[in-house]
Amino acid sequence: MIDTGAPRNVLGHVVSGTLASAAIAGGMQYNQVQKGTLGKKEAIHATLKLSLQGGVATGAAIAATNHLGKSNFFGALSALSLGIAGVYAIEKISEQLQEKDSCESLEAQQ
């Protein structure tokens, strides 16, 4: 058995991971806006996407660690798989929203 300490609250860590990711992503995107290499709308979009992905990844990692503490390797792999799927889903939804926004911008210009 791997001693991972007391089981941790997954939902609480999702919230913590989301907030930590928002702070990091927000700072990075703000820097890009200040340099003029990124627009405000794109920076907000990127910050939201990265924040959600960070929360999902953190929650999956904590859930996997909780399973490892019980020597439940299948549960740990399942939690990581769900985390990967969640991050991927957020990425794909983000891409679709950006494509839709680009199409609407082109239509508005015509």
Side-chain angles (χ1 to χ4, degrees), residues 22-102:
I24 294 166
M28 291 169 36
Q29 302 309 314
Y30 179 77
N31 186 44
Q32 295 299 316
V33 170
Q34 292 300 101
K35 289 181 180 178
T37 58
L38 193 64
K40 288 180 183 179
K41 187 174 183 177
E42 292 82 9
I44 292 169
H45 179 89
T47 300
L48 289 173
K49 178 186 79 164
L50 292 169
S51 298
L52 291 173
Q53 287 175 324
V56 168
T58 303
I62 294 302
T65 302
N66 286 343
H67 286 296
L68 285 175
K70 298 175 188 172
S71 294
N72 181 352
F73 298 105
F74 180 74
L77 288 174
S78 296
L80 289 177
S81 296
L82 288 172
I84 291 167
V87 169
Y88 180 76
I90 293 167
E91 188 69 31
K92 288 300 174 185
I93 291 168
S94 173
E95 287 174 6
Q96 289 177 350
L97 290 173
Q98 283 181 320
E99 286 175 16
K100 181 181 176 187
D101 192 42
S102 294

